[in-house]
Amino acid sequence: DEDMYAEGSSRGANTQADASDDELESGVLSGKEAEEFAAIREEISRMDRSTCPGPFESLKDFYSRTQEHWESLASSAKGKERRKQGFEAAEKAYKDCRPVLERFEAVSKLEMEAAEGSGQG
């Protein structure tokens, strides 16, 4: 699972992350934008893969991947209540991690559009 996170979700984040390295080198982003994007990537790489979603990962996919962890935190609850508490904890973590991931996703999309516009994509 950690490899999946590091390489991106099944939605193609790995391809986008690999492309962004090439685009950074080719100058698609300005110097300041490239520095910001590098800082965002560094911040994402430090996130705990078991408690934070990956770039482009939906809440549903995140919870599905980490459900066991969240339900273990609700160990005193049983059955449906345990699943409910686990989901609520996962949803909170998802929302806490999203701001940096949203910045990453926005920059990635801009890079892809710029690369397509310049004939690199």
Side-chain angles (χ1 to χ4, degrees):
D1 284 343
E2 287 187 23
D3 289 339
M4 179 200 73
Y5 179 90
E7 295 176 9
S9 75
S10 61
R11 302 211 187 292
N14 186 39
T15 303
Q16 292 170 338
D18 290 346
S20 65
D21 289 340
D22 295 339
E23 291 161 2
L24 285 172
E25 292 172 10
S26 68
V28 170
L29 295 177
S30 71
K32 184 176 180 180
E33 290 169 333
E35 288 176 19
E36 179 184 359
F37 188 65
I40 292 168
R41 287 178 64 127
E42 177 64 27
E43 190 171 347
I44 290 171
S45 74
R46 289 191 308 263
M47 290 179 168
D48 182 349
R49 293 171 180 96
S50 66
T51 58
C52 283
F56 304 97
E57 187 172 30
S58 69
L59 174 59
K60 178 184 175 187
D61 291 343
F62 170 62
Y63 181 67
S64 178
R65 178 174 61 83
T66 60
Q67 180 176 359
E68 194 173 297
H69 169 75
W70 302 112
E71 288 182 9
S72 73
L73 298 178
S75 59
S76 64
K78 301 285 184 205
K80 192 174 187 178
E81 183 61 27
R82 182 180 180 141
R83 286 188 298 275
K84 179 182 180 230
Q85 289 179 11
F87 181 80
E88 288 171 353
E91 184 176 37
K92 181 183 181 324
Y94 183 87
K95 288 178 180 179
D96 289 346
C97 294
R98 286 305 300 162
V100 68
L101 294 171
E102 287 171 353
R103 290 194 323 258
F104 175 85
E105 292 166 4
V107 172
S108 292
K109 287 177 184 177
L110 288 174
E111 286 184 319
M112 289 180 64
E113 291 169 4
E116 289 171 2
S118 66
Q120 294 181 10

